[in-house]
Amino acid sequence: MSHVANNVLDLLALARQVAANAAATAARMRTEAITDVDTKSTATDVVTAADKAVEKQILADLLTARPDDEVLGEEYGGTTVPAAAGRVRWIVDPIDGTVNYLYGLPQYAVSIAAEVDGETVAGVVHNVATGAVWTAAKGHGAWRDGRQLSGSTATELAQTLVATGFAYAAERRAHQGRVIAQLLPQVRDIRRMGSAALDLCAVAEGTIDVYFEKGLAAWDLAAGGLIASEAGLLVTGLSGRPPGPDLVLAAPAALHRLLHDVLVELDADGGP
Ligand code: IPD
Ligand code: CA
Ligand code: CA
């Protein structure tokens, strides 16, 4: 049993500090990686090296502060089920938006969440390129730079700006493409920005109206999902299911039902 109390604000403060250190490493490695690409390494290797180094640092920092906790990270795996009652599991995506990281598009982030009893209780998403930081702790709202977030006030589907993302597998992409082709004529427009964690933060602050995606992993969803729900949004799957790999829909209450019903009709959580 951990002797360190699981106060959600303490967990958030630690996540925030660890994410800031990780973001500094990711930024530094990107500069170094560009030099490497020019001279020797393949682009994919470079990104993989940064992902792994950043995750290693995050896990080391978390476990130094709280040695009895469990961890799950994208690169090194870990505890794939929630920790025992009352224990903390950290869920980490060292760089969410790896393709943007590779290309130098300023939409990639460190994402760190703390989960207790199967529920995310603290989360931070730190945009490495811009320095913007979004945070949430269970019951304490969602915040960016001292500003509390509450999502979009849009109410009509036709005026809804929708963010989404696509999986890496070709067959799944084909299905996702069919869904988008039918959704696009019904909404204001579609955005594919390349980081699920930052998409969830964008919907939390209302810079997009809704977000949905099929195929998210726990580390894509954990921190950003809490930030969106603490901003007052509904974060769900389809047809009463919880958000997860089949589908994540994050939307203000006024838009949720509208988008939900269209996504059900289009079988957005189906296909490969
Ligand atoms: C990906 C990004 C992307 C989303 C993919 C994720 P990665 O994560 O969040 O926006 O569409 O589903 O896998 O690979 O950049 O960590
Ligand atoms: Ca990711
Ligand atoms: Ca990643």
Side-chain angles (χ1 to χ4, degrees):
M1 214 29 192
S2 171
H3 60 278
V4 184
N6 295 333
N7 178 292
V8 293
L9 294 177
D10 291 344
L11 294 171
L12 178 59
L14 175 61
R16 206 184 162 122
Q17 184 56 53
V18 171
N21 293 343
T25 300
R28 194 184 63 244
M29 286 196 73
R30 179 156 202 285
T31 319
E32 290 164 6
I34 285 168
T35 313
D36 281 354
V37 170
D38 283 346
T39 54
K40 49 178 183 174
S41 214
T42 70
T44 312
D45 284 345
V46 166
V47 170
T48 302
D51 288 342
K52 290 193 166 168
V54 172
E55 184 168 314
K56 213 173 237 177
Q57 178 185 317
I58 292 170
L59 302 188
D61 286 355
L62 290 172
L63 292 175
T64 298
R66 298 178 51 95
D68 297 328
D69 291 354
E70 312 267 351
V71 292
L72 173 68
E74 179 173 15
E75 308 302 334
Y76 290 100
T79 308
T80 54
V81 292
R87 300 275 297 266
V88 174
R89 178 172 71 144
W90 295 95
I91 302 177
V92 174
D93 193 336
I95 301 174
D96 186 57
T98 43
V99 175
N100 288 338
Y101 183 75
L102 179 63
Y103 279 75
L105 294 166
Q107 284 278 332
Y108 46 93
V110 174
S111 172
I112 301 177
E115 177 199 72
V116 178
D117 297 331
E119 195 182 38
T120 306
V121 297
V124 58
V125 175
H126 186 133
N127 184 320
V128 174
T130 67
V133 177
W134 293 260
T135 60
K138 187 93 198 154
H140 294 268
W143 299 81
R144 175 185 177 175
D145 301 331
R147 184 165 63 87
Q148 189 161 10
L149 309 177
S150 56
S152 156
T153 55
T155 55
E156 286 175 44
L157 197 57
Q159 262 125 55
T160 296
L161 187 59
V162 180
T164 192
F166 304 115
Y168 291 115
E171 310 77 50
R172 179 166 288 177
R173 284 191 163 188
H175 178 74
Q176 290 173 314
R178 286 190 287 274
V179 172
I180 288 296
Q182 294 173 83
L183 180 62
L184 185 52
Q186 306 184 48
V187 297
R188 186 191 291 278
D189 210 341
I190 302 285
R191 294 290 180 271
R192 197 292 190 248
M193 295 181 284
S195 160
L198 289 172
D199 289 342
L200 286 158
C201 294
V203 84
E205 68 181 17
T207 46
I208 53 170
D209 297 313
V210 307
Y211 163 72
F212 81 94
E213 184 165 348
K214 176 184 168 73
L216 293 194
W219 43 80
D220 298 314
L221 171 65
L226 179 67
I227 290 163
S229 65
E230 281 294 318
L233 308 186
L234 298 175
V235 182
T236 70
L238 296 186
S239 309
R241 286 188 284 276
D246 286 347
L247 198 100
V248 174
L249 168 61
L255 288 171
H256 183 272
R257 173 56 54 187
L258 293 171
L259 246 294
H260 171 276
D261 291 354
V262 173
L263 293 175
V264 168
E265 199 183 306
L266 299 179
D267 193 28
D269 63 352

